[in-house]
Amino acid sequence: RELLGAMASQARLQSASHPGILECLRGGGAGGGEQVASEKVEEAVSLITRNLQEVIAGDQLRAIVSERSLKVYWGTATTGRPHIGYLLPMCKVADLLSAGCEVTVLFADLHAFLDNLKAPWEQLQHRCAYYEALIKATLDSIGVPLARLRFVRGTDFQLQSNYTLDAYRLASLCTERDAKKAGAE
């Protein structure tokens, strides 16, 4: 609750430069359903694209939303305590869930461990549980539906042999130059 209060205070300070943050903190959103009416589609698309700098293939987005729930992925490395920098991503996750999207949050715990050992191996599970509880509590406290929110940990699949084999296969097919070029695009 303290974190949410601090986030709301910071949002009030930034609301002039980021219209929609206070609205995000108050909740709201579109309904679901397999075939949604045109009005609901526009409401969902409006929430999905709110406060984004750029929207690519808006017509495709509209078509998907009119047929089914949009599937969205957001990842974060669990390198330390969540801070005010999480406010804007949480507002976007709130928008997406309110729009009826299926949101998957990836906790990049292995990445956090390997990133200069910022998260000791023994703390990985505890830190992921802390992040999950905090994200759920924050979204729940502003009235965001959590039914379409799920969490995944990188170590759940990155330590399996088939993942490692795929990584080796990719490394044999892709040059360093090609990988850097793809990452820059």
Side-chain angles (χ1 to χ4, degrees):
R1 291 185 191 267
E2 283 180 38
L3 178 62
L4 182 61
M7 290 168 66
S9 296
Q10 185 67 22
R12 282 187 208 93
L13 294 173
Q14 294 180 353
S15 64
S17 61
H18 297 287
I21 290 179
L22 289 177
E23 185 181 337
C24 165
L25 289 172
R26 290 187 192 109
E34 296 305 329
Q35 285 293 334
V36 249
S38 176
E39 188 176 290
K40 291 289 187 183
V41 169
E42 291 308 313
E43 186 179 351
V45 169
S46 176
L47 280 169
I48 292 166
T49 60
R50 177 167 60 178
N51 294 327
L52 296 181
Q53 186 173 4
E54 181 179 8
V55 176
I56 299 172
D59 292 337
Q60 288 178 335
L61 172 65
R62 202 167 268 100
I64 291 170
V65 170
S66 69
E67 294 174 14
R68 63 172 175 82
S69 297
L70 185 66
K71 296 179 184 193
V72 181
Y73 163 89
W74 177 67
T76 185
T78 54
T79 55
R81 291 186 304 200
H83 47 75
I84 195 66
Y86 279 80
L87 176 63
L88 292 177
M90 284 303 97
C91 284
K92 188 77 260 168
V93 168
D95 284 345
L96 294 166
L97 289 168
S98 295
C101 298
E102 296 176 28
V103 178
T104 300
V105 176
L106 168 75
F107 294 133
D109 53 350
L110 183 59
H111 177 91
F113 172 72
L114 296 173
D115 185 12
N116 204 16
L117 303 178
K118 288 183 182 174
W121 189 260
E122 299 77 29
Q123 285 186 359
L124 291 181
Q125 287 186 350
H126 300 295
R127 195 166 279 173
C128 288
Y130 174 69
Y131 270 64
E132 182 174 337
L134 190 63
I135 289 170
K136 284 181 177 178
T138 300
L139 294 171
D140 186 52
S141 72
I142 58 174
V144 176
L146 303 179
R148 294 176 181 242
L149 177 65
R150 72 183 197 106
F151 297 90
V152 181
R153 297 174 185 189
T155 52
D156 289 345
F157 58 89
Q158 291 171 326
L159 298 178
Q160 295 179 4
S161 61
N162 58 346
Y163 180 89
T164 304
L165 184 58
D166 285 345
Y168 288 145
R169 193 175 294 131
L170 177 64
S172 72
L173 298 172
C174 179
T175 66
E176 180 182 359
R177 181 187 154 282
D178 291 342
K180 286 181 179 178
K181 183 180 175 187
E185 292 177 354

